[in-house]
């Protein structure tokens, strides 16, 4: 079967979903009001609350949520075969992700730009708010560790990509200054910036001196370096330090100085990247060699598929971005459909092409099976296979494979860095909010909260545990990232459902995906926490068990609190009407 057919079917589903279903949600469920004064105007401060053109905000929103996760998850999940992965991406995007991202954005806009964690207090109760904030804190901490690990490893594997990624920073600052201080247009400068980045990637692919290869600097593969570490481990450590220094600065700057212009550049990277891959798919017309379903898989895809593919189908982290940064920049409430729902469609398109790139990469089914021999092998190989497969598709347009692979890695790193930046900024908000809640004044200060976020993220990333050795924290956390991410999405959908119910509107479009997601995720998480990771299991993992058990207890606590609040609200309503 040709990979083109998957792209055609996926494109039709996404177009119909945005054209009809999102319109129904906007008009009949969320009832958007173009005359509503959004928090961006109401609390305009030039730092976090900044009214923003919907195309620029879409760029920020999409690139903040579309890090490496919509690539890594699908690239791993094809272990169970391409059909389950494709179905979950398509149906999840249209009926779950779009409704979730759109809904959390509108909910936040209608409540002073407050985060879903804060809104839990209004909708469920103060105790639920604190529990929810702790779950969110653990999630963003894991996001920081996972994405820092991904970026550092890509820098090590593709040193030609480093120059382009770092060139983007001064270019984005220049764009931000020219647009917000001189009232210029952002479109042309961002296209110029993108051209400069790709030119640097092409040149670096052929000029070794422009490839920032720290492994080679520390003695080469297998060599010992300082403190008894290998050259690779030392390079990884240095990249983590550099990344954390960068996100500290980036997450404390006003959004217009770096965050928005860089995200706008990255939105064009998305268009270019998807264009290259889908056009490459059209010209190469590759055959799908991966199995439709993998009958020899050691584990069942049900329910693990629904936590392995989070971003790309539905992700709780998106609700944090919608209510944490995007809601503070929404110029007009009518733009919420474009930013929230279409943002999730963009991520679904990225997840779909990731699946296609992987399942068409191998010449034979046997080679696919050999690489994806187990779930652990799939987890290790997924991202690398995608970059090679995407490079192969782009090469169909006449682009040399080395250049294509470098450009693809630049796109992946740029998205991951954007997510890392936004995640640290969100973590700073949450730490400050917890500081206010527990009257710990120092934590309410921007630089103290950011320092706590950065130091804890670096420490978790660098944990030397398991077969991967030094710096394996991000790798080891990936299974828990998926489950906690989906639990967060389920709780966020629950909050939106409660809000809609109290407004007297239909809440089934949010309640149905919430119930499905919570059922699948709790099933998977209980199996993992009490089975695979538990101290009494053969392959126990104390770190995953501890984090997982805490999140699981907090989740059940929130659900019980929510059920109590809903029951009390219904009982009070009956008493008032009696």
């Amino acid at each position: 079967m040709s990979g083109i057919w998957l792209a055609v079917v996926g494109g039709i589903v996404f177009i119909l979903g945005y054209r009809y279903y999102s319109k129904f949600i906007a008009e009949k469920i969320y009832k958007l009001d173009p005359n509503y004064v959004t928090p961006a105007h109401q609390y305009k401060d030039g730092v976090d609350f900044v009214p923003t053109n919907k195309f620029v905000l879409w760029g920020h929103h999409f690139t903040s949520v579309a890090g490496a996760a919509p690539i890594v998850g699908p690239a791993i999940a094809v272990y169970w075969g391409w059909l389950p992965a494709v179905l979950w991406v398509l149906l999840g995007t249209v009926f779950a992700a779009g409704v979730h991202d759109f809904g959390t954005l509108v909910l936040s806009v209608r409540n002073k730009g407050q985060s879903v964690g804060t809104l839990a207090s209004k909708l469920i109760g103060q105790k639920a708010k604190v529990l929810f904030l702790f779950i969110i804190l653990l999630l963003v901490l894991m996001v920081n560790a996972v994405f820092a690990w991904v970026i550092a490893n890509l820098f090590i594997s593709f040193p030609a990509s480093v120059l382009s990624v770092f060139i983007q920073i001064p270019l984005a600052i220049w764009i931000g200054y020219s647009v917000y201080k001189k009232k210029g247009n952002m479109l042309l400068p961002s296209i110029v910036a993108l051209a400069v980045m790709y030119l640097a990637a092409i040149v670096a692919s052929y000029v070794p001196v422009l490839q920032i290869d720290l492994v080679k600097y520390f003695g080469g593969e297998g060599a010992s370096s300082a403190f008894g570490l290998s050259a690779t481990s030392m390079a990884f450590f240095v990249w983590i330090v550099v990344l954390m220094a960068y996100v500290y600065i980036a997450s404390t700057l006003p959004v217009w100085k770096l965050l928005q212009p860089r995200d706008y550049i990255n939105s064009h990277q998305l268009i270019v990247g998807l264009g290259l891959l889908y056009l490459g798919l059209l010209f190469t017309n590759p055959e799908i060699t991966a199995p439709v379903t993998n009958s020899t898989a050691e584990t069942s895809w049900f329910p693990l598929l629904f936590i392995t593919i989070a971003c790309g189908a539905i992700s709780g982290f998106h609700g944090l971005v919608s209510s944490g940064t995007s809601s503070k920049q929404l110029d007009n409430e009518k733009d919420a459909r474009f930013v929230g729902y279409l943002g999730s469609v963009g991520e679904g398109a990225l997840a779909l092409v990731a699946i296609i790139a992987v399942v068409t990469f191998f010449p034979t089914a046997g080679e696919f099976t050999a690489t994806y021999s187990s779930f652990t092998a799939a987890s290790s190989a997924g991202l690398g296979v995608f970059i090679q497969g995407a490079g192969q598709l782009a090469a169909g347009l006449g682009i040399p494979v080395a250049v294509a692979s470098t450009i693809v890695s630049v796109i992946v790193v740029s998205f991951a860095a954007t997510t890392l930046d936004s995640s640290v900024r969100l973590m700073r908000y949450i730490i400050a909010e917890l500081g206010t809640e527990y009257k710990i004044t120092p934590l309410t200060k921007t630089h103290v909260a950011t320092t706590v976020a950065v130091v804890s993220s670096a420490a978790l990333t660098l944990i030397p545990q398991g077969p991967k050795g030094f710096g394996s924290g991000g790798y080891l956390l990936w299974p828990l990232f998926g489950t906690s991410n989906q639990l967060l999405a389920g709780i966020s959908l629950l909050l939106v459902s409660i809000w809609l119910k109290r407004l007297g509107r239909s809440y089934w479009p949010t309640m149905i995906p919430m119930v499905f997601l919570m059922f699948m995720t709790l099933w998977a998480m209980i199996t993992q926490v009490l089975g695979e990771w538990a101290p009494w299991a053969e392959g126990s993992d104390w770190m995953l068990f501890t984090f997982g058990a805490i999140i699981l207890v907090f989740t059940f606590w929130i659900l019980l609190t929510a059920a109590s609040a809903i029951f009390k609200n219904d009982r009070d309503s009956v008493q008032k009407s009696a």
Side-chain angles (χ1 to χ4, degrees):
M1 176 179 170
S2 170
I4 291 176
W5 286 110
L6 289 185
V8 170
V9 172
I12 292 172
V13 171
F14 290 146
I15 290 169
L16 292 176
Y18 181 72
R19 174 66 181 82
Y20 295 105
Y21 193 59
S22 74
K23 184 179 180 183
F24 164 75
I25 296 294
E27 294 178 353
K28 304 298 183 182
I29 307 300
Y30 298 147
K31 298 185 178 179
L32 301 185
D33 180 3
N35 298 315
Y36 183 80
V37 180
T38 64
H41 290 282
Q42 200 171 358
Y43 307 106
K44 184 177 179 181
D45 62 5
V47 179
D48 294 316
F49 292 88
V50 180
T52 305
N53 175 278
K54 71 176 184 178
F55 295 101
V56 176
L57 183 56
W58 179 86
H60 154 72
H61 180 82
F62 175 78
T63 53
S64 292
V65 300
I71 294 170
V72 176
I76 295 172
V78 293
Y79 164 69
W80 291 296
W82 60 262
L83 183 59
V86 168
L87 288 176
W88 176 226
V89 166
L90 298 184
L91 298 178
T93 295
V94 172
F95 296 107
V99 175
H100 169 271
D101 298 10
F102 187 5
T104 50
L105 179 58
V106 175
L107 177 62
S108 179
V109 167
R110 285 301 178 109
N111 287 275
K112 303 178 181 179
Q114 293 174 331
S115 70
V116 286
T118 302
L119 293 172
S121 176
K122 290 184 178 181
L123 296 167
I124 302 177
Q126 185 66 17
K127 189 182 294 183
K129 170 193 171 181
V130 175
L131 293 170
F132 198 25
L133 284 176
F134 273 112
I135 290 179
I136 294 170
L137 186 66
L138 290 174
L139 175 63
V140 293
L141 180 60
M142 285 188 286
V143 168
N144 296 343
V146 168
F147 281 74
W149 180 84
V150 166
I151 295 169
N153 277 286
L154 285 175
F155 277 164
I156 291 170
S157 301
F158 300 93
S161 68
V162 177
L163 181 63
S164 291
V165 172
F166 279 92
I167 279 177
Q168 186 185 37
I169 297 171
L171 289 172
I173 293 173
W174 162 66
I175 292 172
Y177 177 79
S178 64
V179 170
Y180 286 94
K181 291 298 182 182
K182 295 187 176 181
K183 306 299 180 184
N185 184 281
M186 193 181 285
L187 178 60
L188 183 59
S190 66
I191 293 174
V192 171
L194 197 60
V196 172
M197 287 175 62
Y198 287 164
L199 179 62
I202 293 169
V203 173
S205 298
Y206 293 107
V207 182
V209 73
L210 296 178
Q211 299 176 9
I212 305 176
D213 190 345
L214 293 187
V215 175
K216 187 180 294 184
Y217 175 82
F218 287 117
E221 197 77 41
S224 295
S225 186
F227 311 110
L229 299 174
S230 67
T232 302
S233 294
M234 195 63 195
F236 183 87
F237 176 81
V238 171
W239 280 130
I240 293 299
V241 172
V242 171
L243 283 170
M244 291 302 158
Y246 160 73
V247 294
Y248 183 98
I249 297 169
S251 62
T252 54
L253 287 174
V255 291
W256 63 265
K257 280 190 176 179
L258 178 59
L259 185 70
Q260 283 186 350
R262 189 202 53 211
D263 292 351
Y264 195 54
I265 296 171
N266 287 341
S267 69
H268 291 121
Q269 285 214 73
L270 163 72
I271 295 168
V272 170
L274 291 178
L276 284 175
L277 297 183
Y278 279 108
L279 282 175
L281 177 66
L282 183 63
F283 278 90
T284 57
N285 191 24
E287 290 293 313
I288 297 173
T289 52
V292 177
T293 57
N294 184 4
S295 58
T296 63
E298 59 187 1
T299 55
S300 171
W301 64 271
F302 199 89
L304 294 180
L305 172 73
F306 304 102
I307 61 170
T308 302
I309 301 180
C311 301
I314 181 173
S315 163
F317 181 73
H318 295 194
L320 300 185
V321 175
S322 289
S323 65
T325 59
S326 298
S327 64
K328 296 175 175 65
Q329 301 171 58
L330 195 73
D331 182 44
N332 188 295
E333 191 173 82
K334 293 284 281 187
D335 297 342
R337 177 190 174 204
F338 182 85
V339 174
Y341 197 99
L342 192 61
S344 67
V345 169
E347 188 166 67
L350 180 59
L352 180 61
V353 81
I355 292 171
I356 295 171
V358 171
V359 300
T360 60
F361 171 69
F362 297 93
T364 64
E367 291 180 67
F368 174 89
T369 304
T371 303
Y372 281 74
S373 57
S374 66
F375 185 76
T376 302
S379 300
S380 300
L383 183 58
V385 172
F386 164 75
I387 290 177
Q388 294 177 72
Q392 184 173 276
L393 290 178
L397 299 175
I399 303 172
V401 174
V403 173
S405 296
T406 299
I407 290 176
V408 170
S409 63
V410 167
I411 293 172
V412 174
V413 170
S414 297
F415 287 170
T418 299
T419 302
L420 183 62
D421 177 0
S422 295
S423 182
V424 170
R425 185 180 287 264
L426 290 167
M427 191 172 179
R428 185 242 295 175
Y429 293 158
I430 296 162
I431 291 170
E433 201 159 345
L434 287 171
T436 301
E437 186 71 32
Y438 290 103
K439 297 180 172 57
I440 307 174
T441 305
L443 292 181
T444 63
K445 307 299 181 185
T446 297
H447 290 285
V448 174
T450 306
T451 299
V452 173
V454 167
V455 171
S456 58
S457 300
L460 190 57
T461 310
L462 294 169
I463 286 176
Q465 181 179 336
K468 290 287 180 179
F470 177 79
S472 60
Y475 169 81
L476 293 169
L477 284 168
W478 181 260
L480 185 57
F481 167 74
T483 49
S484 57
N485 200 3
Q486 301 302 64
L487 286 176
L488 179 59
I491 296 170
S492 297
L493 281 171
L494 175 62
L495 294 177
V496 177
S497 300
I498 293 172
W499 175 65
L500 290 171
K501 184 176 185 294
R502 290 182 180 174
L503 291 174
R505 300 177 191 172
S506 173
Y507 51 88
W508 294 113
T510 55
M511 185 63 81
I512 291 173
M514 184 278 291
V515 171
F516 175 82
L517 197 62
M518 293 300 285
F519 176 77
M520 291 297 173
T521 308
L522 286 172
W523 178 6
M525 198 166 193
I526 290 170
T527 302
Q528 291 175 319
V529 171
L530 300 181
E532 298 172 33
W533 305 334
W536 51 82
E538 185 177 340
S540 63
D541 189 305
W542 276 99
M543 183 172 69
L544 291 177
F545 174 75
T546 302
F547 274 92
I550 292 171
I551 292 172
L552 198 55
V553 169
F554 282 3
T555 301
F556 276 114
W557 199 343
I558 289 172
L559 291 176
L560 290 173
T561 306
S564 175
I566 293 169
F567 176 76
K568 182 178 183 299
N569 183 262
D570 287 345
R571 185 179 59 195
D572 291 346
S573 297
V574 170
Q575 289 174 348
K576 287 178 181 178
S577 62

